[in-house]
Amino acid sequence: MTSHPCATRPSKGSISKKNKNMALNLNDSTTAIAMAKSEVSIREYDRERDMEAIEKLERSCEIGAGKGFSIVTNMMGDPLCRIRLFQLHVMMVAELTGRGGELVGVARGCVKRVATGVVDGDTVLAGYVLGLRVSPVHRRKGIGLKLVESVEAWAARHGARHVVAAADAANAASRGLFVGRRGYATAARLSILVQPLADVRPPPAAASSRSDVRIERLAVEQAGMLYKRRFGGEPLCPSDVDAVLGAAPSLGTWMARFAGGGGGDGGDGAWACVSLWNTCASYRLQAQLK
């Protein structure tokens, strides 16, 4: 099990003064830092120029977290696959201008409306930093910091009041960047659980089901209403949950409750629900068991 704190960078009122300055100083999504005998510039992704180089960079970063399980994104030939469904999205690349334009880093970002968790129905635009990668031979040179700053500035220009990132609790470098250098605070904790299906044994027939429990599949509209009613006030709950549940990878949402009882849809009684997505084409699970 791996614990992932979901970190968010808060701001007060409208876009903070620091974010405004960041946006103004970005100068058309390009900034630069001095590095040895070359210079690193941050710019937006160009499909024709960068696609092959991005695929090579992603492969170089596919290093597991040691013994155990790790999840690796499969781009499926589309570096924007993780963010393309969001109306506002961007991908920034770090380029070594002094070495023939070698790409040494990448960061994706999107902006979406989410619940604040303070007042029911209150929402805010939040930016998300996703898929931050830096070439292993170019790490600890400030490239990741510049990429994150560029996504933050882009999100601020599009009205984001907060920026959210997910970081592995065991990844000291990642937490040092987001928490130590950029001032993110822990907003939520997520645990990713892995069940090797080869080890699963079917339960005895007598215990496989209960006659007083009914399981039914919910329509997208019903599932969306359920999530909004029960979880809409939770921090960072997406306001477009209907679109999430209706997206192509979704396999559906199921609810279990006692026959004749309420629950979930506003009635009384115990209930449980689960939503499934087909991520087989999007993610690969690496197992390093030594």
Side-chain angles (χ1 to χ4, degrees), residues 114-123 226-239:
V114 299
T116 63
V118 178
V119 180
D120 287 345
D122 189 22
T123 62
L226 170 66
Y227 276 100
K228 288 180 179 179
R229 183 172 297 169
R230 293 291 181 168
F231 310 111
E234 295 295 322
L236 304 179
C237 179
S239 60

Side-chain angles (χ1 to χ4, degrees), residues 7-8 64 67 100 107 112 130 141 154 169 199 216 225 245 248 288:
T8 179
K67 184 177 180 180
K112 59 182 178 179
L130 302 164
K141 298 177 181 178
W154 170 85
D199 297 335
E216 58 183 314
M225 185 180 300
L245 294 169
Q288 298 186 21

Side-chain angles (χ1 to χ4, degrees), residues 17-289:
K17 181 177 180 182
K18 187 170 185 179
N19 274 346
K20 285 184 177 178
N21 291 339
M22 198 187 311
L24 292 173
N25 293 336
L26 191 60
N27 189 20
D28 296 328
S29 303
T30 303
T31 187
I33 56 175
M35 271 190 63
K37 297 181 180 180
S38 61
E39 192 176 69
V40 173
S41 63
I42 309 297
R43 59 172 175 80
E44 290 194 22
Y45 166 74
D46 183 302
R47 179 181 174 85
E48 293 185 2
R49 294 172 55 187
D50 304 330
M51 185 168 177
E52 184 177 346
I54 289 295
E55 291 180 343
K56 179 180 178 181
L57 172 64
E58 292 277 353
R59 287 194 298 270
S60 74
C61 296
E62 289 185 0
I63 301 175
K67 184 177 180 180
F69 294 95
S70 60
I71 296 177
V72 178
T73 303
N74 180 1
M75 296 187 300
M76 302 177 291
D78 179 11
L80 297 175
C81 65
R82 292 186 65 185
I83 56 176
R84 188 175 295 283
L85 292 178
F86 298 104
Q87 184 176 1
L88 291 174
H89 63 264
V90 73
M91 186 160 75
M92 299 293 187
V93 298
E95 181 178 43
L96 283 183
T97 57
R99 297 186 181 181
E102 178 187 359
L103 295 188
V104 296
V106 61
R108 299 161 179 84
C110 66
V111 171
K112 59 182 178 179
R113 186 165 292 279
V114 299
T116 63
V118 178
V119 180
D120 287 345
D122 189 22
T123 62
V124 66
L125 284 176
Y128 283 74
V129 180
L130 302 164
L132 176 63
R133 303 281 189 272
V134 176
S135 169
V137 298
H138 292 95
R139 291 173 183 170
R140 300 188 181 280
K141 298 177 181 178
I143 297 175
L145 174 62
K146 291 297 180 180
L147 284 167
V148 170
E149 288 177 336
S150 69
V151 174
E152 290 174 347
W154 170 85
R157 291 198 300 274
H158 286 84
R161 295 272 300 277
H162 304 266
V163 179
V164 180
D168 191 325
N171 190 329
S174 182
R175 289 187 57 80
L177 169 59
F178 287 107
V179 179
R181 301 293 298 277
R182 299 304 299 150
Y184 285 60
T186 300
R189 292 189 177 275
L190 168 70
S191 293
I192 297 180
L193 309 178
V194 176
Q195 170 69 293
L197 294 182
D199 297 335
V200 175
R201 297 292 181 267
S208 60
S209 63
R210 288 181 49 164
S211 60
D212 57 343
V213 173
R214 184 178 66 187
I215 298 177
E216 58 183 314
R217 181 171 181 172
L218 303 180
V220 173
E221 295 76 14
Q222 293 175 307
M225 185 180 300
L226 170 66
Y227 276 100
K228 288 180 179 179
R229 183 172 297 169
R230 293 291 181 168
F231 310 111
E234 295 295 322
L236 304 179
C237 179
S239 60
D240 62 343
V241 66
D242 303 87
V244 175
L245 294 169
S250 175
L251 297 177
T253 299
W254 287 261
M255 172 184 282
R257 55 184 169 180
F258 291 112
D265 56 357
D268 298 325
W271 61 276
C273 75
V274 60
S275 295
L276 300 178
W277 281 265
N278 180 10
T279 60
C280 295
S282 303
Y283 298 96
R284 298 196 302 275
L285 184 66
Q286 292 184 341
Q288 298 186 21
L289 306 177

